[in-house]
Structure formats: C-alpha cells, structure tokens
Amino acid sequence: MYQYMIVDVFTDTPLAGNPVAVLLDATGLSTDQMQSLAVETNLSETTFVLPPQGTADVRVRIFTPTRELPFAGHPTLGTAVALAHLRERRTLVMETMMGDVEFTFQRDGGRALTARMRQPVPTWEPYEHAATLAEGLGVAPAEPVVYAYRNGPRHVLFPVRDIEELSGLRPDLRVLSTLPDMSAFCFVGVGTHWRARMFSPAYGVVEDAATGSAAGPLAVHLARHGRTDHGRQIEIRQGVEMGRPSTMTATAWGQGDRFDAVEVAGAAVVVGRGEFLIDGVEGGGPA
C-alpha cells in the first residue's frame, strides 16, 4: 500500500488553487508504475517521494499524465508542504532532476502553510514556432518577440493585450498539440500585479490552474525588459477562468540579463489522504 496526500497549491482555501497528489514513500515503484499512477490520479502532476541520492532531505520525481518532468513548481511546493505536515519543519532540501531545491516554511496557525522555494535560474531564447502558437491561441502576441524559458519544463511566455483578451482565449488544442515540449503561458499586467493562463497539450494539461515553474521565468522576463525591477516581488493570479483561483509570488535577483537567484512562494493546504492498494503489481521494484 502506498499512502498519498492531495494538496491544493498556491491557495490557502481548500478546493481552490492547483491540486497535486503526493505519494509519501514511493520506494519499490517502477517508472512505469509511477506514470500509470499519474494517469490514475488524472491531475496535472503527481509526485513520488524517494530517499535522496545526495545530501538533500528527500528526492522527488514528478509526472504529468503523459511524461516525467525534471522540475515543476506547484508539485514541488505542494510536496514540500505535505512533508512539512507530516513532520514539523522550518526548512527542506528537495533533490530533483534539475538539482536541489531549498524550501522555507511559514506557519500561521491554520491549515495552510506558506512555502518559499529557490528555483533553477532559467535559460531563454526566442521561440521558434511563435507564429503557429499565435494561430493556436487565436491572438497575436503583444510584444514583437516571444521567448521560451527553460528551468526544467519549457515555458513559452506569450504576452496578451489586456485581461479581457486573456479571459477570452479559446485555444485550438489541435494546433497547440503539434508544438512539442512546451507550455503556452499567457500573461498580462503592470507593475507588481499580473494575471496568467497556461495551456499545454504537450504535457498532458489542457489548462493549468497555477504554474509555479513559469512564475519564476515571468519575473525574469519582466526584469529583463524593464517592466519591473530586479529584486522586486511580483504577484501572479492564475486559474481564475477555471474556477480555481491561485496566487503566486515571484522574485528574480540580478542585473541586466544576469540572474543570480529566482524565488517563488505561495500557500498550500492538505485536502485529502488515502492509499493506493497496488502491492504485488507485476513490474514493481526499485525506482
């Protein structure tokens, strides 16, 4: 039997934010079984906690319904909060395929915990299929160049003109599904307040309620283009159109096009517990 928690991430309200299923000890599961369990939960991501291979406290593997991701934002933050609920922690170091990710926690006496994580600093380049992406979204980008950022997953930051245009997006998923290894992170805002939506048939996610791994790249993008200051925290609201409102904060420190650190933070709340009864499934073994 494999125990799990369901955590709603980037919210302090149950049944809002972006849910993640966290298998608290996945020792003995094969990669194929992890992928099958990610299909079974039918959430945007499912995580699997394992003993660390290095000096971190835990190792975590992250699966969408279609693939494994080397890093993702809301699943890692939700996993960290789940583990902090099991044993009171002030800090946690999590081993991912993109390196170790550090978390610090803030408790407010309620069910929710706020976690801050240092993300991998992304790389970026102009996106080579911007015209096809615009066709699939049904709108032209509000900036002359569309950039793809990678910090594990590849997020294409697609600027739109106003909140009405953002909320009115009805993407053609047949077109978006032809674009491999990417999510379309559509955004609009000014100063420290931003709104976003994310679509990614390539990652098995029609629309995502909160994309923490894109929040850090957005802070980097805005600082690079002088739309916010380096080291200034921004707030990102996502999931509004899905009825799953989420709030993330992100900060990027550096100068010009050089970035030294990226931090993303938000609250999360445990909303469910259970167990998968899969002992003895053929093909099991060490992950």
Side-chain angles (χ1 to χ4, degrees), residues 147-229:
Y147 285 91
Y149 288 76
R150 186 181 291 279
N151 58 2
R154 191 184 194 209
H155 297 296
V156 179
L157 271 55
F158 191 95
V160 299
R161 286 164 179 76
D162 51 41
I163 289 178
E164 289 73 23
E165 186 169 81
L166 181 75
S167 295
L169 291 175
R170 300 293 183 268
D172 186 334
L173 299 179
R174 293 171 300 178
V175 175
L176 296 190
S177 66
T178 67
L179 302 173
D181 188 26
M182 61 81 72
S183 80
F185 191 74
C186 305
F187 68 95
V188 68
V190 64
T192 60
H193 296 282
W194 296 82
R195 281 275 300 275
R197 296 177 71 185
M198 187 278 251
F199 310 97
S200 184
Y203 292 154
V205 180
V206 173
E207 182 168 359
D208 202 30
T211 315
S213 55
L218 179 59
V220 169
H221 180 80
L222 297 175
R224 284 183 59 225
H225 291 88
R227 301 182 68 180
T228 190
D229 296 329

Side-chain angles (χ1 to χ4, degrees), residues 4-268:
Y4 68 88
M5 288 183 176
I6 303 294
V7 185
D8 287 340
V9 186
F10 292 120
T11 181
D12 59 5
T13 304
L15 308 184
N18 201 359
V20 61
V22 182
L23 271 78
L24 300 168
D25 182 358
T27 303
L29 290 176
S30 68
T31 296
D32 286 346
Q33 288 172 318
M34 293 181 192
Q35 184 64 74
S36 294
L37 282 166
V39 174
E40 184 78 11
T41 69
N42 200 33
L43 297 175
S44 59
E45 280 98 1
T46 301
T47 65
F48 300 85
V49 180
L50 296 159
Q53 296 177 327
T55 60
D57 298 307
V58 295
R59 178 165 64 103
V60 171
R61 296 179 68 180
I62 307 159
F63 288 78
T64 77
T66 62
R67 67 175 66 195
E68 184 172 9
L69 296 178
F71 172 76
H74 104 268
T76 53
L77 192 141
T79 302
V81 167
L83 296 174
H85 272 281
L86 288 178
R87 192 179 82 190
E88 186 167 334
R89 299 172 179 267
R90 293 184 178 178
T91 63
L92 177 76
V93 180
M94 180 183 296
E95 179 184 323
T96 75
M97 291 183 180
M98 293 297 292
D100 290 352
V101 179
E102 299 179 4
F103 293 85
T104 58
F105 303 103
Q106 180 180 342
R107 299 176 183 271
D108 61 5
R111 290 177 58 187
L113 283 177
T114 296
R116 311 187 75 86
M117 63 175 164
R118 286 295 177 99
Q119 291 190 344
V121 175
T123 59
W124 60 84
E125 61 186 354
Y127 183 51
E128 67 274 20
H129 301 302
T132 303
L133 177 56
E135 177 189 350
L137 293 172
V139 297
E143 297 175 7
V145 180
V146 175
Y147 285 91
Y149 288 76
R150 186 181 291 279
N151 58 2
R154 191 184 194 209
H155 297 296
V156 179
L157 271 55
F158 191 95
V160 299
R161 286 164 179 76
D162 51 41
I163 289 178
E164 289 73 23
E165 186 169 81
L166 181 75
S167 295
L169 291 175
R170 300 293 183 268
D172 186 334
L173 299 179
R174 293 171 300 178
V175 175
L176 296 190
S177 66
T178 67
L179 302 173
D181 188 26
M182 61 81 72
S183 80
F185 191 74
C186 305
F187 68 95
V188 68
V190 64
T192 60
H193 296 282
W194 296 82
R195 281 275 300 275
R197 296 177 71 185
M198 187 278 251
F199 310 97
S200 184
Y203 292 154
V205 180
V206 173
E207 182 168 359
D208 202 30
T211 315
S213 55
L218 179 59
V220 169
H221 180 80
L222 297 175
R224 284 183 59 225
H225 291 88
R227 301 182 68 180
T228 190
D229 296 329
H230 290 72
R232 189 179 187 188
Q233 180 176 282
I234 63 170
E235 179 184 276
I236 306 158
R237 293 270 292 168
Q238 192 178 339
V240 174
E241 290 78 9
M242 301 174 64
R244 302 280 309 199
S246 307
T247 302
M248 306 172 280
T249 63
T251 312
W253 289 271
Q255 185 174 12
D257 272 1
R258 178 185 60 79
F259 290 87
D260 305 312
V262 176
E263 182 180 84
V264 173

